[in-house]
Amino acid sequence: MRTNRTTYAVLGFLSWGPMSGYDIKKIVERSTANFWTESYGQIYPILRNFTERGLAVRVSGGTKAASGRERQAYQITERGRAELDRWLREATDPPTVRNELLLKLFFSRNVEPGVARSQVEEFRRQVTELARQGEETRSRLESNRQGSPDLPYWLLTLRFGEIQRAAVLTWCEEAVAALDRLATAPPGATKTKGDRAAAGKRRASKRKDGAKT
Amino acid sequence: MRTNRTTYAVLGFLSWGPMSGYDIKKIVERSTANFWTESYGQIYPILRNFTERGLAVRVSGGTKAASGRERQAYQITERGRAELDRWLREATDPPTVRNELLLKLFFSRNVEPGVARSQVEEFRRQVTELARQGEETRSRLESNRQGSPDLPYWLLTLRFGEIQRAAVLTWCEEAVAALDRLATAPPGATKTKGDRAAAGKRRASKRKDGAKT
DNA sequence: GGTCTCATGTAAATAGTTACATGATTAT
DNA sequence: ATAATCATGTAACTATTTACATGAGACC
């Protein structure tokens, strides 16, 4: 029975030093956003939970900086570190993916190929934007994190994103080309089994396809 | 306020023809497992909900085949098709990813590089297995779905997986190599604040250049 | 004076999984 | 006989997001 993954994300950040829930949220947005997110609704309760389980202690005050309320920082304990260590060594389940774009594509014969095409194009724009952000992150890391013992690991996660995004962009182009071919060539002409024509025409009108309502 | 994505997955399957919750679960496992999953706890309630909202009607009996209970099939209505159509055209939010392997890697300086290395290796095994399954799916589709109007779309989603997995496997090798270098070269080299040197050298391919400062 | 950001937190809603209850039929 | 599979469904739990309440200091 796998326990809450948020636990470990938060423990991981606390391993860098004492910080508050607010800090964690901000850092998550800047550092792991591409493969991990957390919301306040997760973070604050888990921090309280840590103090109950002895994985962290609350150190009020702290840096203080420029804040309205008093800063509630949390410091990881030995037990907290042990728990983090355990998780880092433990087997990792493959991620459960849910990709809505692919789901739409999967059912896209219900619409004209142009619709699927626009979806892919929009997806490509999104990925391109992520790639741009990735480049920024890389130069930021390389210019002011030199020598950090964390850096090699951070670069590994960054590289994952880079390689994956490049692949996805390749696919986008391939997919757009395939959909263009579908849009022009295919209505009923090609394949076997005579009944294909309908798919291309589908949008034209509502006729009965043997299904009543 | 985006409504439940499960809704559309189920509508999509019903667009193929009347089917039961059980059918949907089985088909999901065989067809979309790589980018979409659903559980009974989602499917059955949503089917009931469809009858209330007029997106599908219940057609008891149906194929019947070999079943214990009476088969409860659901048939999509015109309103259901309209809703599916709307969703297919609607803008798609980028997927929120949560990749636990990358999260572990991100915090892996808390353990020896060998730990991260094993995690990546295990991940590679998982992806390799998925790739094998993907190949099976491809030959299955190509041999007995020829001429289906859905085929081009299915192949697109399949291709996405293929391209992405190839990229991920490339990354795995790169990552293992990087972690091996980390394990041998750097133990204390980077430790202190003052030495930017070590990190910069790390990029050099095979350290014959005396990379350990 | 207004609004922005810092900051902590909670409540409610939504999403999703897991485990179980039930029971008929089919294969061994 | 019994195990497996077909099949439907629910309850409880876990996970996660969103929206809101609160309030202080900073900035214009």
Side-chain angles (χ1 to χ4, degrees), chain B:
Chain B
M1 197 183 291
R2 18 200 13 287
T3 109
N4 190 352
R5 307 293 86 185
T6 295
T7 299
Y8 303 109
V10 173
L11 274 181
F13 285 109
L14 293 187
S15 81
W16 293 356
M19 58 180 84
S20 67
Y22 190 82
D23 292 338
I24 291 171
K25 182 77 198 317
K26 286 288 151 312
I27 296 175
V28 162
E29 278 160 16
R30 274 175 225 154
S31 62
T32 65
N34 280 294
F35 55 89
W36 204 266
T37 55
E38 293 295 348
S39 60
Y40 287 128
Q42 293 271 103
I43 295 170
Y44 282 112
I46 213 98
L47 284 173
R48 166 195 287 244
N49 174 260
F50 281 0
T51 64
E52 286 157 15
R53 294 204 289 154
L55 302 180
V57 287
R58 193 166 175 164
V59 285
S60 297
T63 322
K64 199 92 173 58
S67 77
R69 290 201 197 172
E70 198 187 14
R71 185 187 160 78
Q72 305 296 323
Y74 292 80
Q75 182 166 43
I76 196 169
T77 62
E78 270 310 310
R79 285 195 52 191
R81 281 195 191 276
E83 183 65 8
L84 176 63
D85 187 83
R86 222 207 69 249
W87 169 72
L88 287 170
R89 289 165 197 279
E90 170 183 283
T92 309
D93 287 349
T96 345
V97 208
R98 288 190 120 197
N99 186 322
E100 194 176 351
L101 189 258
L102 293 184
L103 187 65
K104 280 184 179 171
L105 233 40
F106 191 78
F107 293 120
S108 279
R109 79 110 164 184
N110 288 291
V111 287
E112 319 90 81
V115 175
R117 197 205 136 109
S118 328
Q119 292 285 356
V120 174
E121 288 279 27
E122 173 57 19
F123 181 63
R124 181 166 66 170
R125 275 189 288 275
Q126 291 165 359
V127 176
T128 304
E129 167 59 13
L130 289 179
R132 204 193 47 71
Q133 286 170 30
E135 279 171 41
E136 262 177 41
T137 304
R138 175 168 285 275
S139 53
R140 186 156 42 80
L141 283 183
E142 281 173 351
S143 67
N144 51 34
R145 292 294 170 154
Q146 279 304 333
S148 161
D150 282 303
L151 186 63
Y153 297 100
W154 295 348
L155 289 176
L156 243 33
T157 64
L158 191 63
R159 187 87 185 106
F160 183 96
E162 288 168 356
I163 289 183
Q164 189 173 247
R165 285 187 297 262
V168 166
L169 290 176
T170 300
W171 172 83
C172 285
E173 281 177 39
E174 215 186 281
V176 166
L179 290 167
D180 281 343
R181 254 177 283 126
L182 249 196
T184 54
T190 10
K191 253 340 198 177
T192 55
K193 295 260 205 140
D195 66 331
R196 335 272 90 174
K201 303 232 167 109
R202 194 165 298 137
R203 279 284 109 208
S205 51
K206 290 191 174 218
R207 75 266 157 44
K208 45 144 280 188
D209 54 300
K212 66 160 316 186
T213 311

Side-chain angles (χ1 to χ4, degrees), chain A residues 176-191:
Chain A
V176 166
L179 290 167
D180 281 342
R181 255 177 284 124
L182 249 197
T184 53
T190 44
K191 304 301 182 180

Side-chain angles (χ1 to χ4, degrees), chain A residues 41-94:
Chain A
Q42 293 271 103
I43 294 170
Y44 283 112
I46 212 98
L47 283 173
R48 167 194 287 242
N49 175 260
F50 280 1
T51 63
E52 286 158 15
R53 293 203 289 154
L55 302 180
V57 287
R58 192 169 178 162
V59 285
S60 298
T63 322
K64 200 93 170 62
S67 76
R69 291 201 197 172
E70 198 187 15
R71 183 187 161 79
Q72 305 295 324
Y74 293 79
Q75 182 164 41
I76 196 168
T77 62
E78 269 311 309
R79 285 194 53 191
R81 283 194 190 278
E83 182 65 9
L84 176 62
D85 187 83
R86 222 207 69 249
W87 170 71
L88 287 170
R89 290 166 197 280
E90 170 183 282
T92 309
D93 287 349

